Amino acid sequence: MKEEHFQKQIDTEQKIEPKDWMPEQYRKHLIRQISQHAHSEVIGMQPEGNWITRAPSLRAKMILLAKVQDEAGHGLYLYSACETLGISREKLVQQLHDEKAKYSSIFNYPTLTWADMGAIGWLVDGAAIINQVSLQRTSYGPYSRAMIKICKEESFHQRQGYEIMAEMAKGTPEQKTMAQDALNRFWWPSIMMFGPQDSESPRTGNAMKWKIKRQTNDELRQSFIDKTVGQAEIIGLKIPDPDLKWNEERKHYDFGEMDWEEFWNVVNGNGPCNKQRLAHHKKAHDEGEWVRNAAQEYAKKQESATN
C-alpha cells in the first residue's frame, strides 16, 4: 500500500518531501545521484581555479572568481539536499575520498590554455544546463528546488564561456587556433558527460519511473548537440566530428561514435587528472579541519549564550 501511494504521488506530479515515506531504493538512488552532482560542483572548481591568477584581464579574473564561488555554492545546496535523505555530509565526503562515490568525468581533463575556460563555460556548463533544466522538475522536492537557483547561475556561466570563445575566434589567427584546439579537446568529453548510452545504463528505468530524471542520457545528449552545432557555426568554429550531419527525416543531427573505452577508463579513475583532483581535494579538506572545528565551537558558544 505504501509503494502504491508513493508511486501515485509520483504519477500525479506531487513532490516527495523528506518526511514522506519512500522506498529504500529511491532514497539510495537519490543519494548516489545528488552526491555525485555535489562532488562534481566542488571538484569542478579545480580546473578553473587553476586559471584565476592567469586570467588575461581584471574583468576576466572577476568573472572567473565569481564563477568558482558559484560552484562552491552549488555544492553547498546539493550537499544540504542530500542530507535531508538521512546521510551526513561527513559521510558523503568520505565516500568521495574512498572512491566509493563518483563525480563528473569531464573534470578529469586538464585545462591547458585560457581558451579552455571558454570551452568549459560554453560546452561543460552548457551540457550541465541541458541536464539540470530537466532536473528542476525532478520528483524529490529539495533537489528540485536547489536546481532552480543553480540553473540561473549556470546560464550565466555558459554565456560567459561562449563570450570567451567568440572573442578568441574573431581575434588573431593564434587566438582562433587556440579556441579551436580547446573545442577539439573538450567536445567529446562534454557529450560523454551525459553518461553511458541508454542501453548500457541499468539505473535509467527506475530513474524514469520515479521521475528523478525526465529524459534519458541519449535524449539529453541529442538535445545538447542539436543546440551547440549552430552556436559553433556562428562564431566560425568547427565541431570535431567528421560524421556530424543534419538528418532531415529525424530533425536532429547524426553524430559519430564516442570512445566509450576512454569514458569508462576516466570514470574508473584512470583519466589524465583523476588522481590529481582527488589528492587536491583531500589536502584541502585536511587543511581546513581547524576552520570546521572553530566554526562548530563558535556555534556551541552562541547557542549556550542564547540559552
Side-chain angles (χ1 to χ4, degrees):
M1 290 295 291
K2 286 182 177 179
E3 292 216 16
E4 286 179 13
H5 177 69
F6 169 80
Q7 191 60 49
K8 185 177 180 180
Q9 280 184 277
I10 299 287
D11 294 340
T12 55
E13 301 294 340
Q14 298 178 57
K15 296 298 182 192
I16 304 299
E17 298 296 343
K19 291 185 179 180
D20 292 341
W21 183 90
M22 63 186 75
E24 183 62 15
Q25 287 303 111
Y26 177 82
R27 189 183 77 88
K28 287 181 177 178
H29 187 113
L30 281 170
I31 289 174
R32 184 194 63 80
Q33 181 169 325
I34 300 174
S35 67
Q36 178 175 315
H37 195 164
H39 298 327
S40 298
E41 297 284 356
V42 174
I43 295 290
M45 296 162 64
Q46 291 186 40
E48 294 171 316
N50 180 45
W51 279 91
I52 288 173
T53 58
R54 294 179 286 165
S57 68
L58 179 59
R59 178 178 180 273
K61 188 188 294 286
M62 291 170 62
I63 289 171
L64 189 56
L65 277 166
K67 182 182 180 185
V68 171
Q69 179 177 278
D70 284 348
E71 307 296 3
H74 298 173
L76 176 63
Y77 305 149
L78 292 164
Y79 282 130
S80 297
C82 205
E83 285 179 304
T84 65
L85 291 160
I87 185 169
S88 70
R89 195 168 312 185
E90 290 77 15
K91 187 169 182 180
L92 293 171
V93 172
Q94 193 60 52
Q95 288 176 347
L96 174 65
H97 290 174
D98 292 341
E99 300 184 49
K100 294 179 179 178
K102 305 289 187 184
Y103 57 88
S104 180
S105 59
I106 191 69
F107 299 119
N108 289 311
Y109 290 87
T111 47
L112 306 178
T113 70
W114 175 251
D116 290 6
M117 295 300 95
I120 287 178
W122 173 33
L123 301 176
V124 176
D125 292 323
I129 290 167
I130 295 290
N131 188 41
Q132 292 170 4
V133 164
S134 174
L135 288 173
Q136 289 179 113
R137 295 169 53 237
T138 192
S139 61
Y140 188 57
Y143 193 20
S144 170
R145 291 187 286 273
M147 293 315 307
I148 293 171
K149 179 171 176 56
I150 289 173
C151 280
K152 291 177 182 177
E153 294 176 352
E154 291 289 5
S155 295
F156 162 78
H157 300 166
Q158 195 267 349
R159 289 195 298 272
Q160 293 299 331
Y162 189 61
E163 178 188 281
I164 292 172
M165 295 295 273
E167 288 295 317
M168 296 191 75
K170 70 179 183 182
T172 65
E174 291 80 6
Q175 288 172 324
K176 183 169 184 178
T177 297
M178 190 182 293
Q180 183 64 58
D181 174 66
L183 172 56
N184 292 347
R185 286 184 288 107
F186 275 92
W187 174 253
W188 293 104
S190 293
I191 63 174
M192 285 191 258
M193 277 177 66
F194 296 101
Q197 294 168 298
D198 293 343
S199 59
E200 302 294 327
S201 183
R203 296 186 181 92
T204 295
N206 279 338
M208 298 294 286
K209 173 187 174 184
W210 293 326
K211 298 188 179 180
I212 294 173
K213 292 182 69 170
R214 297 292 183 140
Q215 293 175 280
T216 69
N217 296 350
D218 289 341
E219 289 171 342
L220 292 165
R221 188 172 6 254
Q222 184 70 66
S223 178
F224 171 71
I225 291 171
D226 290 346
K227 285 180 169 65
T228 309
V229 172
Q231 295 169 359
E233 291 174 351
I234 288 170
I235 59 176
L237 296 180
K238 183 175 176 58
I239 300 294
D241 180 358
D243 297 323
L244 186 72
K245 62 180 178 180
W246 178 253
N247 186 318
E248 185 61 34
E249 185 177 336
R250 294 176 59 238
K251 302 298 182 184
H252 292 292
Y253 280 96
D254 292 335
F255 55 95
E257 182 66 23
M258 288 166 281
D259 187 345
W260 291 112
E261 184 177 346
E262 177 185 336
F263 170 78
W264 289 113
N265 198 41
V266 175
V267 167
N268 291 325
N270 301 310
C273 298
N274 288 69
K275 292 178 174 56
Q276 174 187 333
R277 300 286 186 244
L278 199 54
H280 186 283
H281 190 278
K282 288 178 180 178
K283 182 174 183 288
H285 185 75
D286 292 343
E287 291 178 350
E289 184 177 7
W290 71 272
V291 179
R292 296 192 296 276
N293 292 340
Q296 288 177 346
E297 288 301 316
Y298 179 77
K300 288 177 185 176
K301 288 180 180 179
Q302 291 293 102
E303 186 177 356
S304 297
T306 304
N307 293 336

